[in-house]
Amino acid sequence: MTGTSVEHVTPVAPRRRPAGDPVKALLHRHRALCERAVDPLEIAAGLEAHGITDRTAARFRHRDVFSLAEELYARTPRGDAPPTPPDAVAGSPVVLRGFGCSLLPGALALGTTAAGVPWAGPLSAVAAVAVLVWPGRTAGGRFPGLIHLLAAAAVGWAVHRHGPALGVALAVAAAPGYLIAAGFAARARRRLAGSRALEDFAAGIRPLLAAAVTAFVAAAAGAAALAGTPLAAALPLAVLLFLTRLLLGHGAHRVPVAGALALALVPIPAVQCAAAAGLLVHAFRALTRASAHARP
């Protein structure tokens, strides 16, 4: 009997297709960001704003977001359009013009007070709010004037309770507040240019923010002493307005700012101090992100 041989064939596993290019997919997803960026730092800040961290960058075979941004910048096709001009830095004509405008509330307050003009305090307070809480990168969207209305209401209510000298103190503090905010923005931008990781940038920006807030507190205390108003009434509100300016100017969300300003309407000193402290904590979280210092 002739046996029939049976050949055992081992099934061959289908060949896997090579993994796609994850960076190319990311480039397609954020093409608008990559095309308008003038340097890799702009892309790094934008990626961070979209929730991409150093840990996420490891999935794209990069050690951190900055390294990933450099590849995205290099792989983005660009035309011959000139780069976007850099932001205003301390000492530039834009900053000097803004500083000149910020001197007006203090001059108005001191002049009208010396002349005995009625309603000098409220008028000075309104002028101080206009300078300290300037429309920033969050000025668009729904209810863009809500922050300014809340700030004006908080200051007006405080001046009504504590007297015109409080409005004078806030008006005098507007000029140093403008300079300190501009200096912080310029130093933060330079720190971003020298950073190579998001954690490195955050660690370097915290002392800068602390120094800026400390410098403004000292300036506001001097303005309160010059105007003859109690520090307990002037400092929490002045710090609240200064932090509002910083957060709006760096594109932060308006909801925490609006909540803090609404709390300042409560006629209890402890509540106003809590509102300023809460906004300070939020500022340390929002302003230590690289995306807060990218060009708008």
Side-chain angles (χ1 to χ4, degrees), residues 260-274:
L261 289 173
L263 279 178
L265 292 170
V266 179
I268 301 176
V271 174
Q272 295 179 351
C273 292

Side-chain angles (χ1 to χ4, degrees), residues 101 127-139 147-148 178 241 244-246 248-249:
C101 292
V129 168
V131 172
L132 279 173
V133 189
W134 196 253
R137 286 162 52 184
T138 58
I147 297 296
H148 305 88
Y178 179 88
L241 294 177
T244 298
R245 176 187 182 86
L246 282 182
L248 290 186

Side-chain angles (χ1 to χ4, degrees), residues 88-90 180-192 208 250 293:
V89 296
I180 293 169
F184 169 74
R187 289 180 175 87
R189 183 68 190 175
R190 288 197 294 268
R191 180 72 193 182
L192 180 61
L208 290 180
H250 291 273
H293 305 280

Side-chain angles (χ1 to χ4, degrees), residues 76-176:
T76 301
R78 303 181 185 280
D80 298 329
T84 305
D87 290 337
V89 296
S92 70
V94 174
V95 173
L96 292 178
R97 284 196 299 269
F99 177 63
C101 292
S102 68
L103 288 171
L104 295 178
L108 174 67
L110 295 175
T112 54
T113 301
V117 177
W119 300 99
L123 288 175
S124 303
V126 171
V129 168
V131 172
L132 279 173
V133 189
W134 196 253
R137 286 162 52 184
T138 58
R142 301 180 63 184
F143 312 114
L146 176 62
I147 297 296
H148 305 88
L149 289 176
L150 285 173
V155 171
W157 179 231
V159 170
H160 174 73
R161 291 185 354 253
H162 298 287
L166 176 59
V168 176
L170 294 175
V172 173

Side-chain angles (χ1 to χ4, degrees), residues 5-45:
S5 60
V6 179
E7 182 179 357
H8 295 280
V9 179
T10 304
V12 179
R15 179 181 296 179
R16 289 186 178 181
R17 293 184 178 180
D21 184 354
V23 177
K24 183 178 181 180
L26 189 68
L27 176 62
H28 178 74
R29 194 182 315 152
H30 300 285
R31 179 169 294 276
L33 167 67
C34 296
E35 287 179 346
R36 71 170 179 265
V38 299
D39 55 36
L41 298 174
E42 297 287 346
I43 299 178

